[in-house]
Amino acid sequence: MKFLLVRAGDLKDNIRLFAPSTHPPLGLLNLGAVLEQDGHDVEILDFFMENISREQLGNALMSSDAVGMSFYTAHLSSAMDISRMIKDVNPDIPLIIGGPHCIFVKERSLLDIPHADISVISEGEQVIVDIVRYLEGRKKLADIHGVFYRDNNRIKKGKTLEIIEDLDSLYFPARHLVDKYDYGSFPFGLQLKKKVTAMITSRGCPFNCRFCPKYDNIIDGWGFRQRSAENILQEFEDIDDKYGSVLIVDDNFLVDKKRALRIFDGLIDMGTEVELFIDGARVDSADKKLYQKMKKAGVKYIYYGLESGNQEVLDFYNKKTTLSQIRKAINLSRKMNFITMGNFIFGAPIEKKEHIERTIKFACSLPLDVVTFQPLAYLYRSQLWNDAVERDIISKDTLFVFADSEKGLGNLPGKELKEYSNIAFQRFYLRSTYIFSQIYRSILRNDYNLLINGLKFLLWLKRNRYRWPKQNPQTH
Ligand code: B12
């Protein structure tokens, strides 16, 4: 059997500091590995990486027996368009959908994508094999765990979903399936050592931040599961000579310090030249011994969810971090010469203009290399979203909405929050101390990419996306 696996999305979405094009579709690579082990051929088309024409899709469909499509809620409309195109070309080809959107909205996913035949609302590694057995006529859909499917115009449910307890039992992602794509190209900004791939070493997160739509909020028993250090090191051995950089995309890679130390010790012993980008770090993991090991093991980039420069806002988000932990972590990261990145959010329900001003000042006081500021989003099934639904402020069909006092979400109008984000970018990056420190650091590193690309990014921002407001809303 030949499977065509598709990541829905839009090339246009890649003009961002942290864009999908930087990340290979790990979910599909895991499914690809399972399918190949089961004896099938697999082709991947990634709509974030190329403009795929109807003709190109049609050619791929001609040689395929089934299609699997993965998407986030943010890419629902692209998934709708692609599904329509698929069934236009071949109305009989089975279309299976999966990924975060399906997991979150469950049977609604088949209403969102009326052309899909089966929706997988769980981890896909076991389920995809069961679906193959169904397509081979050897299994009934009703007996498969974690699916919804169509039966005579009705949506039916398979068996209750099952969680994969032992993550070490999974195959490593079939990375060769996306060899044709060049991931890790941050459109403006960082220049990673090629070739770039990603890795995930755990599923779930032990924390409960109010803005995060955790799988635990909707799936009993999802929990926090980790692969063993040994298993992870084996994967590194496998990719060592093929890749220059690895993006580690765990929600929380450093949370288990013992495991992290074992991984870094192993990488040091291996003598790998691979550079690591830790995509999700918490400031409370910062520890000198651990960070020294990280540096030795090849960590070059670290990205923190910092969220706010106000303790009461951090507490409101249930972030369980403090401002002094933030300062300590960022200082330590700078000491290690990591390219240190952080994200801040504006618009918590308790936030007023003063809080935002404090966050911008706080951000400017930290030795960060890259900062992002964004208005708070109420994401489907986050605790924040649940509270707003319970209080009848948003409907339970709302998938995504930005904080906006005009909609009863917080104290500040959405438009103003966007303006604050723009102003914050400007205030952070256009400081002479920041510019001089980046020039100095570039000379030390003998690497001018961050500087050059950062400037390009700012110029682009100014021209294309954000219109800097003439007046700082603070003074309104
Ligand atoms: C890497 C990552 C990113 C990267 C890459 C994004 C991309 N489009 O590829 C970046 C940093 C760019 C990013 C951005 C965003 N992300 Co993100 N991201 C992740 C993260 C941390 C890891 C994803 C991953 O690789 N997982 C590992 C693989 C193995 O899991 P998987 O993809 O889910 O696949 C499994 C199943 O879903 C299923 N499956 C998947 N596809 C298919 C297809 C078929 C046919 C089948 C049968 C099964 C199946 O089987 C797979 C194996 O078990 C997840 C959290 C997480 N830990 O998963 C959040 C997550 C996916 N992101 C999320 C969000 C909200 C965002 C943003 C909207 C955040 C924001 N406010 O800007 C943006 C969206 C930007 C965009 N345009 O894509 C949410 C998704 C919520 C939703 N309803 O869609 C998640 C779940 C985090 C969270 N809890 O909030 N993200």
Side-chain angles (χ1 to χ4, degrees):
M1 199 172 273
K2 187 196 153 193
F3 261 82
L4 175 64
L5 299 180
V6 172
R7 175 160 74 161
D10 193 332
L11 202 59
K12 285 204 288 291
D13 229 15
N14 282 327
I15 313 294
R16 298 158 148 241
L17 209 47
F18 293 96
S21 64
T22 55
H23 294 71
L26 268 184
L28 291 184
L29 300 187
N30 277 8
L31 300 189
V34 173
L35 288 167
E36 287 192 332
Q37 289 290 334
D38 202 48
H40 310 285
D41 291 327
V42 181
E43 177 179 355
I44 292 189
L45 289 180
D46 187 342
F47 278 76
F48 279 119
M49 298 305 287
E50 51 177 337
N51 272 322
I52 294 163
S53 66
R54 192 190 161 89
E55 194 189 353
Q56 197 182 344
L57 183 65
N59 286 340
L61 285 169
M62 279 223 296
S63 58
S64 305
D65 301 294
V67 184
M69 179 165 68
S70 181
F71 61 101
Y72 293 8
T73 299
H75 314 121
L76 182 55
S77 73
S78 155
M80 284 158 78
D81 292 347
I82 296 168
S83 69
R84 200 174 307 119
M85 228 174 2
I86 290 171
K87 289 288 178 155
D88 267 2
V89 175
N90 183 352
D92 298 325
I93 199 157
L95 173 58
I96 304 133
I97 54 174
H101 182 72
C102 301
I103 299 180
F104 278 104
V105 307
K106 302 200 165 58
E107 67 265 48
R108 175 182 157 171
S109 54
L110 287 178
L111 301 174
D112 289 338
I113 310 285
H115 293 294
D117 302 295
I118 304 172
S119 172
V120 175
I121 57 151
S122 67
E123 294 160 287
E125 287 89 350
Q126 179 53 47
V127 185
I128 198 72
V129 178
D130 290 340
I131 291 177
V132 169
R133 300 290 171 268
Y134 157 74
L135 295 173
E136 292 167 342
R138 293 157 61 190
K139 199 164 186 138
K140 287 191 191 128
L141 281 172
D143 292 334
I144 300 180
H145 294 271
V147 295
F148 281 93
Y149 58 97
R150 286 181 211 287
D151 186 12
N152 286 326
N153 286 333
R154 285 181 54 208
I155 292 178
K156 290 198 173 164
K157 190 177 180 210
K159 295 208 158 143
T160 316
L161 69 82
E162 285 183 334
I163 304 292
I164 300 170
E165 293 297 342
D166 178 12
L167 296 183
D168 283 2
S169 68
L170 298 177
Y171 297 116
F172 298 148
R175 295 185 169 85
H176 65 93
L177 293 171
V178 288
D179 272 350
K180 60 184 163 181
Y181 296 124
D182 186 21
Y183 291 102
S185 313
F186 286 79
F188 306 101
L190 314 173
Q191 195 87 24
L192 271 61
K193 192 162 114 188
K194 296 290 166 80
K195 208 170 158 89
V196 178
T197 189
M199 188 187 286
I200 190 153
T201 74
S202 62
R203 289 187 181 171
C205 170
F207 292 90
N208 290 297
C209 301
R210 223 180 241 243
F211 48 76
C212 176
K214 304 183 48 159
Y215 288 130
D216 252 333
N217 295 355
I218 46 160
I219 298 178
D220 287 340
W222 185 270
F224 177 53
R225 292 159 286 147
Q226 300 193 93
R227 293 168 54 194
S228 68
E230 294 67 35
N231 181 259
I232 295 159
L233 289 168
Q234 239 169 14
E235 187 171 347
F236 270 109
E237 294 265 11
D238 242 41
I239 60 176
D240 193 29
D241 52 348
K242 301 187 197 93
Y243 293 92
S245 311
V246 178
L247 304 159
I248 300 191
V249 301
D250 296 47
D251 291 332
N252 233 313
F253 179 57
L254 303 173
V255 71
D256 178 346
K257 265 189 208 162
K258 265 200 202 145
R259 187 189 76 141
L261 283 169
R262 282 214 302 278
I263 298 169
F264 294 126
D265 277 334
L267 288 173
I268 295 166
D269 287 349
M270 205 187 286
T272 179
E273 305 262 302
V274 166
E275 293 181 350
L276 302 184
F277 185 132
I278 299 180
D279 225 342
R282 282 178 58 87
V283 292
D284 51 4
S285 306
D287 162 291
K288 200 165 170 198
K289 186 173 154 214
L290 176 67
Y291 274 43
Q292 279 168 339
K293 283 254 159 78
M294 277 158 56
K295 185 166 176 58
K296 243 176 143 183
V299 172
K300 187 160 176 202
Y301 304 88
I302 188 159
Y303 186 56
Y304 297 97
L306 302 177
E307 328 307 2
S308 179
N310 301 273
Q311 190 59 51
E312 68 261 46
V313 176
L314 292 174
D315 295 344
F316 171 82
Y317 286 144
N318 197 26
K319 183 76 191 182
K320 303 258 186 272
T321 54
T322 63
L323 295 177
S324 64
Q325 282 173 326
I326 296 181
R327 195 170 291 288
K328 179 185 157 202
I330 306 304
N331 282 331
L332 193 55
S333 304
R334 166 57 65 95
K335 228 184 218 157
M336 297 297 138
N337 209 18
F338 298 152
I339 293 187
T340 307
M341 293 164 274
N343 181 58
F344 291 97
I345 311 173
F346 293 151
I350 61 163
E351 261 186 309
K352 304 209 170 80
K353 288 181 182 177
E354 303 81 81
H355 291 96
I356 292 179
E357 179 58 25
R358 235 175 281 146
T359 293
I360 301 176
K361 280 201 178 125
F362 183 64
C364 292
S365 76
L366 298 170
L368 284 157
D369 296 293
V370 177
V371 179
T372 45
F373 300 94
Q374 50 180 316
L376 174 68
Y378 287 65
L379 297 168
Y380 188 72
R381 292 305 205 126
S382 62
Q383 207 186 316
L384 208 59
W385 178 95
N386 282 340
D387 295 344
V389 169
E390 262 168 37
R391 292 171 49 217
D392 260 342
I393 303 173
I394 54 176
S395 93
K396 63 177 181 3
D397 295 327
T398 308
L399 293 172
F400 176 103
V401 60
F402 279 119
D404 185 351
S405 56
E406 283 162 20
K407 296 179 180 147
L409 301 169
N411 301 312
L412 298 160
K415 221 172 123 214
E416 226 169 85
L417 288 171
K418 283 182 190 146
E419 281 173 359
Y420 280 127
S421 309
N422 301 339
I423 286 166
F425 267 113
Q426 199 178 28
R427 290 219 344 230
F428 183 87
Y429 287 108
L430 299 183
R431 281 171 302 140
S432 51
T433 44
Y434 173 77
I435 295 168
F436 285 123
S437 92
Q438 286 306 322
I439 293 173
Y440 177 66
R441 278 165 63 68
S442 300
I443 295 169
L444 278 188
R445 282 198 306 260
N446 195 20
D447 174 358
Y448 297 88
N449 283 312
L450 187 63
L451 200 63
I452 295 164
N453 292 327
L455 275 174
K456 276 194 208 159
F457 177 68
L458 281 177
L459 286 173
W460 178 86
L461 264 183
K462 203 158 182 169
R463 249 182 297 136
N464 289 287
R465 185 72 166 262
Y466 299 122
R467 238 175 270 136
W468 303 116
K470 291 208 173 63
Q471 204 186 355
N472 183 334
Q474 224 93 288
T475 59
H476 281 183

